[in-house]
Amino acid sequence: MQQTTHDCDALLGQLSLCLDKLLPEADCAHVHAELAQCPTCQAFYRAMLQVDQTLRAAPQKAPAYDMSAAVLALIAQREKRQKRALGFTLLLSGAMSLVPTLVVILSIIIAFWTTTNPGILQTGVDVIISLVNVIRALVLTFGVLGNAISPWILPTLAALVSVLLLFLTIVWARKIVPAPSPARV
Amino acid sequence: MTAATSRQDDERIWIEQARQGDHAAFAHIVQAYQRPVYNLCYRMLGNQVEAEDAAQETFLRAYNNLHRYDPNRKFLNWILSIASNHSIDRLRRKRHIQVSLEDAPFAEQLRSHDEPLQARVERKEKADAIQHWVDQLSPNYRTPLILLYWYDYSYEEIAETLKLSVPAVKSRLHRARKQVAELMLAEQATRSAPTPAPISV
Ligand SMILES: [Zn+2]
Ligand SMILES: [Zn+2]
């Protein structure tokens, strides 16, 4: 017959503590007295004891070879990959800053043309000039620098954009390539 | 100066040098800790190939995170916690694959659960009795059991290593033992009975 005066799971939990000598002996004696009344717990406890003995007897597993060489190879491989990522980033940032630079040069040329001989490239320049006029009108409504607006506004804007792009690339590069101490994997 | 303190001093120097990117210093650390790290990985994963892989990956992660290591903490605890996290990740990935394998037709399952299983169990038991049981525990229960038996860790040390509370360690150890005992009883019953029947304990 099965005894139902105790919670079997709780009793086994206490027996687990007794196995690790973490319960006072008097308490363990009481737990064992209760164990004697419950065949279910007894079967379990016998198995737990068997598990405990087998585990205590099981040896430490040792690696078949010295792993330091393999680990260093892994580290070197990872560092190489990081360097490649850095090179790629530099290349990309170079390319990215080249585009605005070209825009700057082109707009300087256009601005130069429009101021020296207004007749040349009239149609294309008209578009740019009307754009400049829009900006000029905008600034004028705010009453600031109204007279300073000239065709040179485009090169200035392009230069600002190129500086901004360069700055963003550097920020991004620092994010993907951790600088002095490598970050987590 | 005792051997223990000079070893600790060496270790502190190696860690400091490895932090600066000195590979040779890190090789010393690998040599000093490869046994405990490998054993933990082996006991978690149950086979040599995976254990070697996981142990190497553990050291790689340790190297990359050396700047986060708190020198007031025992280095062994720190590296074992990396090994245990990594092994649990691997087990989760593996279980994913196993689950999709279990979607195979029922007949196929029957075939693989027939007699060969028993033969396989007995062969395994002779080779390494306990690993067979540990392999069947859920990953979160494996680590406390491994640290208790193979590293002689106290409940407090297990709690510190695994970032758990002591009561949580207590209950996990109890659950782990209970699970293994259940498996053991179920298999003993299967072996004594002529036809495999579901065992409820
Ligand atoms: Zn009971
Ligand atoms: Zn009682």
Side-chain angles (χ1 to χ4, degrees):
Chain A
M1 269 281 275
Q2 213 161 299
Q3 196 86 359
T4 45
T5 52
H6 66 238
D7 171 0
C8 289
D9 190 55
L11 189 79
L12 290 166
Q14 285 180 306
L15 283 164
S16 173
L17 290 177
C18 289
L19 275 178
D20 294 329
K21 304 201 166 44
L22 287 173
L23 220 58
E25 257 175 63
D27 291 1
C28 283
H30 175 80
V31 169
H32 278 275
E34 207 140 314
L35 176 70
Q37 320 224 326
C38 178
T40 314
C41 282
Q42 276 173 33
F44 247 102
Y45 185 59
R46 265 197 302 275
M48 270 168 67
L49 271 182
Q50 211 177 326
V51 171
D52 184 68
Q53 279 159 11
T54 322
L55 276 164
R56 283 189 205 286
Q60 280 249 358
K61 288 277 176 183
Y65 57 91
D66 179 4
M67 294 196 293
S68 55
V71 171
L72 290 194
L74 275 178
I75 292 172
Q77 192 189 324
R78 201 195 124 88
E79 282 175 354
K80 205 166 147 194
R81 225 177 330 169
Q82 271 182 344
K83 260 181 212 158
R84 213 176 299 151
L86 180 71
F88 175 72
T89 313
L90 286 176
L91 205 76
L92 201 72
S93 70
M96 274 177 78
S97 58
L98 200 67
V99 173
T101 307
L102 281 176
V103 173
V104 173
I105 293 168
L106 258 170
S107 39
I108 286 174
I109 292 169
I110 291 167
F112 182 75
W113 268 335
T114 45
T115 43
T116 47
N117 27 343
I120 287 173
L121 288 170
Q122 206 49 60
T123 39
V125 167
D126 275 348
V127 178
I128 296 164
I129 288 178
S130 57
L131 246 171
V132 171
N133 281 334
V134 168
I135 297 164
R136 195 188 295 180
L138 269 173
V139 177
L140 270 173
T141 44
F142 288 101
V144 201
L145 288 171
N147 295 322
I149 297 294
S150 71
W152 295 101
I153 188 88
L154 268 183
T156 318
L157 276 177
L160 281 175
V161 167
S162 98
V163 168
L164 185 74
L165 271 175
L166 197 66
F167 173 75
L168 286 177
T169 327
I170 289 166
V171 168
W172 174 74
R174 285 186 59 114
K175 224 180 209 171
I176 71 153
V177 184
S181 56
R184 59 184 297 122
V185 191
Chain B
M1 205 198 271
T2 66
T5 60
S6 90
R7 153 92 197 258
Q8 271 178 4
D9 288 342
D10 283 351
E11 196 178 287
R12 207 167 304 137
I13 294 165
W14 292 337
I15 291 167
E16 199 36 59
Q17 288 173 338
R19 248 184 200 162
Q20 315 287 326
D22 183 340
H23 290 186
F26 193 69
H28 285 299
I29 297 176
V30 176
Q31 276 157 3
Y33 288 96
Q34 55 186 344
R35 264 184 89 99
V37 167
Y38 175 82
N39 179 66
L40 182 81
C41 295
Y42 185 95
R43 294 305 177 184
M44 288 295 286
L45 300 166
N47 74 77
Q48 189 190 334
V49 177
E50 274 208 78
E52 280 169 2
D53 238 47
Q56 288 177 17
E57 181 67 27
T58 298
F59 282 113
L60 181 65
R61 287 183 185 203
Y63 182 79
N64 291 326
N65 289 287
L66 265 184
H67 61 285
R68 291 177 192 214
Y69 166 64
D70 169 11
N72 297 317
R73 212 177 154 191
K74 237 168 107 185
F75 190 78
L76 180 64
N77 291 6
W78 186 68
I79 201 152
L80 286 183
S81 76
I82 298 177
S84 126
N85 285 336
H86 179 57
S87 300
I88 289 173
D89 285 350
R90 272 178 186 251
L91 287 169
R92 295 226 171 96
R93 250 178 287 151
K94 217 162 73 175
R95 188 185 285 173
H96 228 74
I97 296 164
Q98 267 168 5
V99 167
S100 48
L101 282 179
E102 272 161 24
D103 292 340
F106 186 59
E108 242 172 276
Q109 277 190 46
L110 267 186
R111 207 183 308 139
S112 61
H113 275 248
D114 243 34
E115 222 206 312
L117 173 75
Q118 220 162 318
R120 202 168 58 210
V121 166
E122 259 145 331
R123 179 169 47 77
K124 254 197 159 176
E125 258 175 325
K126 268 172 202 148
D128 191 346
I130 201 60
Q131 196 59 44
H132 167 65
W133 306 112
V134 177
D135 284 350
Q136 296 177 63
L137 281 179
S138 48
N140 285 334
Y141 293 171
R142 279 182 215 190
T143 357
L145 201 72
I146 291 168
L147 291 176
L148 179 79
Y149 282 104
W150 279 287
Y151 298 83
D152 283 326
Y153 271 27
S154 66
Y155 283 33
E156 285 77 14
E157 278 179 297
I158 297 173
E160 200 263 340
T161 304
L162 302 180
K163 299 260 183 288
L164 292 170
S165 68
V166 173
V169 171
K170 211 181 266 185
S171 105
R172 283 194 194 187
L173 278 171
H174 166 45
R175 302 265 153 250
R177 280 178 167 141
K178 207 180 155 196
Q179 270 190 18
V180 179
E182 261 168 18
L183 291 164
M184 193 178 259
L185 288 172
E187 217 155 281
Q188 276 168 1
T190 321
R191 221 170 298 161
S192 53
T195 44
I199 306 295
S200 59
V201 196

